[in-house]
Amino acid sequence: MADNIPLHPVRNLQKRNEYYPGRQSRYQVEDESSSLDEMPLMMSEEGFENDESDYHTLPRARVTQKKRGLGWFVFGGWKLLCTSCCDWLANICRRKKQLKARTVWLGYPEKCEEKYPRNAIKNQKYNLFTFVPGVLYQQFKFFLNLYFLVVACSQFVPALKIGYLYTYWAPLGFVVAVTIVREALDEFRRYQRDEEMNSQLYSKLTIRGKVKVKSSDIQVGDLIIVEKNQRIPADMIFLRTSEKNGSCFIRTDQLDGETDWKLRVAVCCTQRLPALGDLFTISAHVYAQKPQMDIHSFEGTFTREDSDPSIHESLGAENTLWASTVVASGTVIGVVIYTGKETRSVMNTSNPKNKIGLLDLELNRLTKALFLALVVLSVVMVALQGFVGPWYRYLFRFILLFSYIIPISLRVNLDMGKAAYGWMIMRDDNIPGTVVRTSTIPEELGRLVYLLTDKTGTLTQNEMVFKRLHLGTVSYGTDTMDEIQNHIIGSYAQGTGSSASSTPSSKTTSSAPKVRKSVHSRIHEAVKAIALCHNVTPVYESRAGVNGEIEYAEADQDFSDENRTYQASSPDEVALVQWTESVGLTLVSRDLSSMQLKTPGGQILPFIILQVFPFTSESKRMGIIVRDDSSGEITFYMKGADVAMSSIVQYNDWLEEECGNMAREGLRTLVVAKKSLTEEQYQDFENRYNQAKLSVHDRSLKVAAVVESLEREMELLCLTGVEDQLQADVRPTLEMLRNAGIKIWMLTGDKLETATCIAKSSHLVSRNQDVHIFRPVMNRVEAHLELNAFRRKHDCTLVISGDSLEVCLKYYEHEFVELACQCPAVVCCRCSPTQKAQIVKLLQQHTGKRTCGIGDGGNDVSMIQAADCGIGIVGKEGKQASLAADFSITQFKHIGRLLMVHGRNSYKRSAALGQFVIHRGLIISTMQAVFSSVFYFASVPLYQGFLMVGYATIYTMFPVFSLVLDQDVKPETAILYPELYKDLTKGRSLSFKTFLIWVLISIYQGGILIYGALVLFESEFVHVVAISFTALILTELLMVALTIRTWHWLMVVGEFLSLGCYVASLAFLNEYFDVAFITTVTFLWKVSAITLVSCLPLYILKYLKRKFSPPSYSKLTS
């Protein structure tokens, strides 16, 4: 149907180019070639309007200006002007400092031209002055609390005073005091965490030597020394390292969520200086671009001015050390370029917002409706009185009399209930280690529609295991790896003499490729290629008690060292190298120019690294050219994704099929190939390559073209399959969430292929679903075409990269979100931390549904804080996510029970509790209204002083609050039938319908109680109070019993405790009750009769409803 929507042509180019003259030629070609006029675009009329505005802003603005006049001002124009004035004033107050590029002199912070922000971490919401006003504002912005503040203040006016001051101020003071104490505790904990980070000590290099400095006192231009395993305190340029090769590894898990180590290279000019102190003898500065959010790129230059000619060195991301990363090897010295708010890590985290639950908003709406009812009732009373005398004073007194319609105990009960739910969640033995950090939103767990999850460390363990090696004719799995080991031992045992003869098979085959090789030689070549083609570095832990030089030498000689670990930018590569070690060929050392392998016999094979072509997301492959030191042979090895490699390797009939088979098993595949080069071929390549690297224009294109000239007719060696192990019980948990009607979006910074693999292996994509991979788009036209292609797919999972998403949201935001929301699952790869948060906000705006963000790394914090409910996992990537989240769990599988059981219970209980407390206020207001109308509309209270306070507290509080222990479904049933969760998201437990039912019940019961008492009393008015109040208390206790679905022993205790308190207090209430009358049989039968009439019909109705229209869960529990 959608395909038949007529096309709205993409704009008239002539008009468009009036405003974008520079783009004419390119767009013209694109638009004409793609003949968009025949393509249907999924746009509504509203969409066209938005489209139009891109190009016709100027003329339209002129038109609207003409229309402005007096009429415009009167009909809403004044409102617009006021808003814009307020915005203008706010912008002036909050004006941000302009971020600029900077020149930083090494070791001389005083030479900085501008003042830069302090290097302090601050996560607090308030300061000393804003705390009390801020907390009070958060409390009184709720209509409920504001209303009670006004009512309580009115009691200071003598003409409006009704009863005692404490009956109004005590409950309000209690609510506010509890909130202030809770917020103060939270704020103090945040302050302690920040202070701990800010007071960490670092060594600062000065002309007089090293001095210790606090993290918060570091300035731009300081030279800071960071030891191994120490956090980097600010964004720095890497100048020197203790490592000989001039490079070091850093851990970036708190910045981008990736647990693998990243290689960083020191500035050559400063690394070559003989001693540390020489940094002050040279005159050098760093030019750095203005602070940005992108953590993967940097542009700058290093200039040394005191040499002739002056030395210029370009700086990129590989020369940077960003704040919040950790040094993993050696000691580093850097010059600080950005501090505090300007560091990459702070710019990528958003400010935490105050989260308000959907249930609180719904109850807030209901209280507004009650307030309206209260005003209407008061006006009716005054009208029936005939507006005599000072009627407005009577009106206000009536409003105060009926103020119990809106119960102040609602907030107290709900806040105490929330605290109880938090305690229950933390005490649940089935989800050990769960922590509730935000106690105000446990009900949100029962209302979620979208779950946005990170991949690495959340769904997966980020532990790679080598699973499969395929040679075309033969395939080896985990159970047959010993055969490969025997082949390797055999092939190196043949050449025990010199290492030159250690590869007899490879020498003969390279000269005669037509001869079919034996499996033996093919295995040998494949394993050797995997052992050489990578970016892995073996790292040896230092030995204590010896100085650094000797340690390094020892490590060089002792390759059998047990404490060898491998480091690389990708865990896949580490898994491959660990596998070659397990079958006998071990990588023992590597630096920037050489590599050494050890054979099963302990022999060392040296190789010289001639060129390395690193992996990029565009090329999807990496290559290396090595020279065998003993034989002088030059070989070009390459490995990469099957899409990139299939056109490079020689023709074969098995690669595509086997890649598909492995991908279906959830394995990440890599194709490995090689090509032997002669000395002349290599020299020719090197000359062209170096020439391309020096070109000024289109450098990257020229370099790629030269490398591609080598990538032809390569010999296919093998196909490898590596598995990223999933977290425990991820598949059943995701299935349970899907059955519960929750749509799952996976947002990851990882590669597209990896993300797709994990989506399949974790069953995020069910077996019968297609996957639609959204092609990379760069501009509006491509986005238009690709969206049309996607629209024709039905019930398929969408996989899209962060860059394409950015383009789609820029031009077709509404249409894209509408389409994506129809997908059963969405995978966004190559997402930055800010993009993750942006996607959450987008879903909230467009769908209005509740979202949940779950992650385990520092890169997930923005997403967790933006979501309506944030869940952090305490994982390998540290505790940053779990500290920023509303709920912290230890394993992904715990989310099932957290949502299905605790989410359900919290929402159902709060809905019942909230409505019951409203019923408790409504019933007494109904009685007051009937009483006033009977006694000539007098604004006199029916129950005075302590009776009112006691009614809301000790007489009914325990049974009503015991509703927080109620449950409609056993936990086991809720987990077994996750479909029950779908009902919760519709919000039927608390709606205007259920609210109106409670209003009718309250009016019926209030009317019966007061009319019954008036009909049955004989002599004194005080008897009316005694009969009606006692019947009221009994009715409330019976109504709690009617509402409860599953009894708990504490509920029974609460019922009898309240009844006991009331009976005991009768002895002291002689100013309200006639004690002699209370002890008579007449009193007892009258109370019993009234209570029976008020409650029995409701019990009958409930029984009939359960019999003829039972709720869905009762069918499962029966």
Side-chain angles (χ1 to χ4, degrees):
M1 180 200 83
D3 292 352
N4 302 330
I5 297 175
L7 173 83
H8 196 79
V10 171
R11 307 292 140 234
N12 181 327
L13 283 168
Q14 220 46 49
K15 276 187 183 177
R16 174 181 189 163
N17 292 323
E18 284 170 30
Y19 310 122
Y20 299 94
R23 298 189 191 168
Q24 181 164 4
S25 59
R26 195 186 72 170
Y27 270 111
Q28 205 136 9
V29 172
E30 280 176 354
D31 285 15
E32 284 168 7
S33 65
S34 44
S35 61
L36 279 171
D37 288 4
E38 290 126 47
M39 291 293 297
L41 179 59
M42 40 177 289
M43 283 191 141
S44 56
E45 288 302 316
E46 178 189 9
F48 296 140
E49 285 302 313
N50 298 346
D51 229 358
E52 204 69 51
S53 67
D54 281 8
Y55 306 112
H56 304 311
T57 341
L58 301 172
R60 220 180 245 192
R62 290 192 201 107
V63 173
T64 45
Q65 262 170 335
K66 280 179 199 167
K67 290 181 186 172
R68 292 185 179 183
L70 187 64
W72 170 83
F73 182 78
V74 173
F75 294 107
W78 62 274
K79 208 181 275 184
L80 198 70
L81 286 175
C82 290
T83 316
S84 38
C85 288
C86 292
D87 288 346
W88 177 72
L89 280 169
N91 284 337
I92 285 180
C93 299
R94 292 199 301 252
R95 182 172 286 164
K96 284 186 180 174
K97 204 180 85 175
Q98 198 69 37
L99 297 175
K100 292 178 186 168
R102 61 202 57 191
T103 301
V104 180
W105 291 84
L106 269 60
Y108 295 101
E110 60 279 0
K111 282 192 181 180
C112 289
E113 298 143 19
E114 290 198 37
K115 200 169 177 290
Y116 297 115
R118 270 190 77 219
N119 193 42
I121 291 172
K122 187 173 183 292
N123 286 314
Q124 289 126 269
K125 289 184 193 171
Y126 311 103
N127 59 32
L128 214 57
F129 302 106
T130 60
F131 177 72
V132 175
V135 173
L136 289 178
Y137 168 73
Q138 287 300 331
Q139 276 306 295
F140 292 118
K141 76 176 183 184
F142 272 112
F143 177 76
L144 189 69
N145 294 359
L146 184 67
Y147 166 74
F148 279 111
L149 184 68
V150 173
V151 166
C153 290
S154 72
Q155 292 305 289
F156 290 116
V157 180
L160 303 175
K161 193 164 183 256
I162 293 177
Y164 304 102
L165 271 178
Y166 70 84
T167 57
Y168 290 93
W169 278 101
L172 186 68
F174 177 72
V175 174
V176 174
V178 165
T179 307
I180 287 179
V181 170
R182 192 179 65 205
E183 277 292 339
L185 275 171
D186 285 352
E187 200 65 1
F188 181 64
R189 285 195 198 114
R190 284 190 208 106
Y191 168 75
Q192 279 182 316
R193 287 206 297 267
D194 291 349
E195 198 51 39
E196 190 184 328
M197 298 291 269
N198 290 330
S199 55
Q200 285 178 353
L201 292 175
Y202 290 88
S203 298
K204 173 177 157 183
L205 206 60
T206 63
I207 297 177
R208 293 179 297 283
K210 291 181 191 176
V211 293
K212 288 286 181 190
V213 61
K214 274 186 178 180
S215 170
S216 55
D217 296 334
I218 289 172
Q219 296 170 287
V220 171
D222 281 347
L223 294 175
I224 302 294
I225 301 170
V226 187
E227 304 289 338
K228 183 179 175 180
N229 290 329
Q230 211 177 1
R231 183 182 73 89
I232 293 170
D235 287 357
M236 309 198 295
I237 291 296
F238 183 16
L239 299 178
R240 277 180 78 87
T241 172
S242 58
E243 301 284 300
K244 280 183 183 175
N245 55 13
S247 64
C248 81
F249 282 105
I250 59 168
R251 292 200 294 272
T252 60
D253 47 10
Q254 292 302 326
L255 192 63
D256 59 10
E258 295 179 14
T259 50
D260 42 87
W261 294 9
K262 307 285 190 297
L263 187 72
R264 292 288 182 263
V265 183
V267 175
C268 293
C269 180
T270 47
Q271 179 66 23
R272 285 199 299 262
L273 295 173
L276 253 187
D278 295 343
L279 287 169
F280 283 96
T281 62
I282 63 170
S283 168
H285 62 78
V286 168
Y287 170 80
Q289 64 180 159
K290 69 175 186 182
Q292 287 181 333
M293 290 169 77
D294 187 2
I295 55 177
H296 300 296
S297 70
F298 174 74
E299 285 173 19
T301 47
F302 175 89
T303 308
R304 181 175 172 180
E305 294 186 336
D306 58 348
S307 64
D308 191 33
S310 56
I311 300 170
H312 296 284
E313 221 177 294
S314 75
L315 302 175
E318 71 278 1
N319 305 113
T320 59
L321 301 167
W322 298 140
S324 295
T325 59
V326 176
V327 177
S329 64
T331 301
V332 303
I333 296 102
V335 59
V336 176
I337 52 169
Y338 308 124
T339 51
K341 287 184 289 201
E342 294 179 344
T343 58
R344 295 292 206 264
S345 62
V346 174
M347 288 179 86
N348 271 294
T349 47
S350 49
N351 292 327
K353 60 172 185 177
N354 276 320
K355 295 186 182 180
I356 297 164
L358 186 59
L359 185 103
D360 294 318
L361 296 172
E362 288 168 346
L363 281 169
N364 204 38
R365 279 203 293 274
L366 293 184
T367 47
K368 287 176 186 170
L370 287 171
F371 177 70
L372 200 68
L374 161 74
V375 173
V376 169
L377 187 60
S378 306
V379 170
V380 166
M381 285 294 181
V382 174
L384 291 171
Q385 236 180 357
F387 291 108
V388 289
W391 61 269
Y392 49 87
R393 189 190 299 168
Y394 295 141
L395 176 69
F396 209 91
R397 278 180 69 89
F398 272 123
I399 286 176
L400 293 173
L401 271 181
F402 298 141
S403 66
Y404 280 92
I405 282 184
I406 304 173
I408 188 156
S409 54
L410 183 61
R411 278 244 73 82
V412 186
N413 274 303
L414 284 175
D415 285 352
M416 283 163 57
K418 289 171 196 284
Y421 308 144
W423 184 79
M424 287 173 199
I425 291 171
M426 292 197 277
R427 287 290 302 271
D428 189 342
D429 295 333
N430 293 299
I431 45 173
T434 303
V435 181
V436 178
R437 298 193 192 280
T438 306
S439 56
T440 52
I441 55 167
E443 299 92 0
E444 290 295 276
L445 293 169
R447 309 289 296 277
L448 303 175
V449 179
Y450 290 97
L451 178 76
L452 300 105
T453 170
D454 178 37
K455 177 187 73 72
T456 313
T458 304
L459 297 178
T460 67
Q461 296 177 22
N462 204 24
E463 283 179 8
M464 305 294 169
V465 182
F466 190 94
K467 286 281 186 187
R468 185 75 51 82
L469 179 74
H470 206 294
L471 299 171
T473 52
V474 59
S475 170
Y476 294 94
T478 38
D479 47 350
T480 50
M481 290 300 177
D482 51 342
E483 288 183 34
I484 297 180
Q485 197 170 358
N486 296 336
H487 282 302
I488 295 296
I489 293 169
S491 65
Y492 283 107
Q494 291 170 10
T496 45
S498 70
S499 55
S501 61
S502 65
T503 57
S505 53
S506 64
K507 289 200 80 170
T508 53
T509 51
S510 62
S511 57
K514 298 281 180 281
V515 181
R516 194 178 180 96
K517 297 176 193 169
S518 67
V519 170
H520 182 77
S521 68
R522 281 160 62 205
I523 287 175
H524 170 251
E525 280 180 24
V527 174
K528 185 175 160 190
I530 295 168
L532 287 170
C533 184
H534 52 70
N535 259 324
V536 181
T537 309
V539 178
Y540 295 89
E541 290 297 322
S542 309
R543 299 270 180 83
V546 202
N547 81 45
E549 291 297 314
I550 297 168
E551 289 167 29
Y552 198 83
E554 272 191 13
D556 265 353
Q557 288 152 10
D558 183 15
F559 291 141
S560 63
D561 206 339
E562 287 304 308
N563 51 17
R564 179 197 304 114
T565 53
Y566 295 113
Q567 286 309 332
S569 61
S570 159
D572 302 50
E573 293 209 308
V574 176
L576 292 171
V577 173
Q578 281 172 339
W579 174 76
T580 62
E581 182 186 356
S582 73
V583 295
L585 202 55
T586 310
L587 173 72
V588 284
S589 85
R590 168 158 187 170
D591 55 35
L592 296 173
S593 61
S594 69
M595 199 186 319
Q596 289 178 321
L597 302 180
K598 188 172 72 175
T599 66
Q603 186 187 354
I604 300 297
L605 308 176
F607 292 89
I608 294 166
I609 300 172
L610 299 174
Q611 299 288 350
V612 177
F613 314 113
F615 181 94
T616 65
S617 50
E618 288 78 42
S619 69
K620 296 188 175 56
R621 55 188 181 270
M622 72 85 54
I624 188 167
I625 301 178
V626 292
R627 176 185 272 127
D628 188 331
D629 216 13
S630 47
S631 66
E633 266 187 18
I634 300 173
T635 315
F636 172 36
Y637 290 107
M638 180 163 261
K639 69 166 188 239
D642 54 306
V643 282
M645 296 291 288
S646 55
S647 58
I648 293 170
V649 297
Q650 292 167 351
Y651 173 77
N652 61 81
D653 55 3
W654 60 272
L655 183 62
E656 192 180 338
E657 186 185 344
E658 289 307 326
C659 284
N661 291 342
M662 285 194 194
R664 276 188 284 281
E665 290 176 43
L667 300 179
R668 299 154 73 135
T669 54
L670 282 174
V671 179
V672 184
K674 77 162 198 177
K675 187 178 196 176
S676 296
L677 302 176
T678 62
E679 193 65 46
E680 296 77 43
Q681 280 175 319
Y682 176 69
Q683 287 305 327
D684 171 53
F685 165 78
E686 192 179 32
N687 293 336
R688 288 186 295 128
Y689 187 65
N690 289 339
Q691 214 171 342
K693 282 209 291 190
L694 290 172
S695 62
V696 182
H697 301 294
D698 298 329
R699 181 187 298 176
S700 55
L701 285 173
K702 288 176 183 170
V703 168
V706 174
V707 177
E708 272 175 31
S709 68
L710 268 192
E711 299 171 346
R712 288 182 190 148
E713 289 296 298
M714 294 188 73
E715 184 187 337
L716 174 59
L717 295 178
C718 64
L719 176 65
T720 63
V722 175
E723 182 182 44
D724 186 356
Q725 292 194 305
L726 295 173
Q727 293 269 11
D729 292 337
V730 159
R731 288 175 185 141
T733 307
L734 287 177
E735 195 172 341
M736 178 198 292
L737 295 173
R738 220 181 8 247
N739 291 340
I742 296 173
K743 290 189 175 179
I744 302 157
W745 288 38
M746 185 166 89
L747 314 179
T748 173
D750 223 326
K751 299 192 287 287
L752 188 133
E753 291 80 13
T754 316
T756 314
C757 255
I758 296 301
K760 286 175 180 169
S761 63
S762 64
H763 293 180
L764 178 70
V765 182
S766 56
R767 285 187 177 281
N768 54 358
Q769 266 169 14
D770 285 340
V771 175
H772 176 80
I773 294 176
F774 202 90
R775 285 211 313 270
V777 295
M778 302 302 291
N779 52 44
R780 184 188 197 117
V781 180
E782 291 174 3
H784 175 119
L785 295 170
E786 194 53 34
L787 277 170
N788 275 326
F790 173 42
R791 239 179 67 245
R792 299 194 184 94
K793 300 282 179 79
H794 297 289
D795 192 43
C796 68
T797 300
L798 171 68
V799 180
I800 186 169
S801 69
D803 301 338
S804 305
L805 181 73
E806 198 77 34
V807 176
C808 289
L809 296 182
K810 187 177 172 186
Y811 298 117
Y812 298 119
E813 182 182 294
H814 178 73
E815 291 85 297
F816 175 77
V817 177
E818 205 174 308
L819 278 179
C821 288
Q822 291 166 10
C823 294
V826 176
V827 177
C828 297
C829 50
R830 287 276 171 228
C831 272
S832 67
T834 354
Q835 256 181 336
K836 290 183 177 185
Q838 192 189 352
I839 292 168
V840 172
K841 287 171 187 160
L842 209 67
L843 281 174
Q844 289 167 339
Q845 287 163 8
H846 282 269
T847 65
K849 300 279 193 282
R850 304 318 265 178
T851 56
C852 170
I854 178 167
D856 69 324
N859 61 323
D860 302 317
V861 169
S862 302
M863 169 178 79
I864 285 170
Q865 289 177 338
D868 297 301
C869 167
I871 300 176
I873 297 180
V874 184
K876 290 182 182 170
E877 299 184 16
K879 288 190 171 181
Q880 202 172 340
S882 77
L883 289 173
D886 307 307
F887 302 91
S888 163
I889 57 178
T890 52
Q891 287 185 356
F892 183 80
K893 66 176 180 181
H894 291 169
I895 195 174
R897 188 175 177 87
L898 192 64
L899 268 54
M900 301 302 126
V901 177
H902 294 289
R904 177 184 192 84
N905 287 344
S906 302
Y907 169 57
K908 286 270 190 181
R909 289 163 176 173
S910 282
L913 182 65
Q915 291 179 116
F916 204 93
V917 172
I918 288 173
H919 156 75
R920 194 170 63 181
L922 272 170
I923 194 170
I924 206 160
S925 299
T926 306
M927 292 170 77
Q928 177 68 54
V930 173
F931 171 77
S932 292
S933 53
V934 168
F935 290 96
Y936 309 105
F937 307 104
S939 52
V940 178
L942 169 60
Y943 302 128
Q944 300 249 347
F946 185 76
L947 285 186
M948 290 307 285
V949 175
Y951 171 68
T953 54
I954 57 167
Y955 297 155
T956 60
M957 187 175 75
F958 301 115
V960 171
F961 188 67
S962 73
L963 288 171
V964 302
L965 300 168
D966 190 21
Q967 61 179 34
D968 57 346
V969 171
K970 285 197 179 80
E972 299 75 36
T973 312
I975 289 172
L976 190 61
Y977 300 104
E979 290 77 8
L980 291 171
Y981 189 88
K982 287 180 187 173
D983 282 350
L984 305 181
T985 53
K986 293 169 186 164
R988 288 176 180 163
S989 297
L990 176 68
S991 60
F992 272 105
K993 181 185 169 185
T994 57
F995 169 67
L996 285 171
I997 290 169
W998 275 107
V999 169
L1000 293 172
I1001 290 171
S1002 308
I1003 291 171
Y1004 166 74
Q1005 288 186 326
I1008 291 291
L1009 292 172
I1010 190 71
Y1011 268 122
L1014 290 170
V1015 168
L1016 294 177
F1017 96 104
E1018 284 153 8
S1019 46
E1020 296 182 43
F1021 169 67
V1022 78
H1023 293 177
V1024 172
V1025 175
I1027 293 169
S1028 64
F1029 194 75
T1030 310
L1032 174 66
I1033 298 295
L1034 290 174
T1035 298
E1036 280 301 292
L1037 297 183
L1038 287 169
M1039 282 304 291
V1040 171
L1042 178 73
T1043 308
I1044 288 170
R1045 288 165 288 218
T1046 311
W1047 282 88
H1048 187 282
W1049 64 271
L1050 279 172
M1051 294 172 170
V1052 182
V1053 170
E1055 291 269 347
F1056 284 107
L1057 185 65
S1058 290
L1059 192 60
C1061 286
Y1062 179 62
V1063 171
S1065 67
L1066 289 176
F1068 310 105
L1069 298 175
N1070 37 13
E1071 64 170 300
Y1072 305 114
F1073 294 160
D1074 177 0
V1075 180
F1077 173 66
I1078 290 171
T1079 50
T1080 62
V1081 177
T1082 314
F1083 170 75
L1084 288 175
W1085 82 256
K1086 286 179 179 175
V1087 168
S1088 305
I1090 292 170
T1091 309
L1092 200 65
V1093 175
S1094 77
C1095 291
L1096 190 63
L1098 295 174
Y1099 271 84
I1100 294 166
L1101 282 173
K1102 183 183 177 181
Y1103 171 77
L1104 292 172
K1105 187 173 187 294
R1106 287 299 291 261
K1107 186 109 177 111
F1108 297 109
S1109 172
S1112 53
Y1113 58 82
S1114 65
K1115 297 167 192 168
L1116 301 174
T1117 50
S1118 56

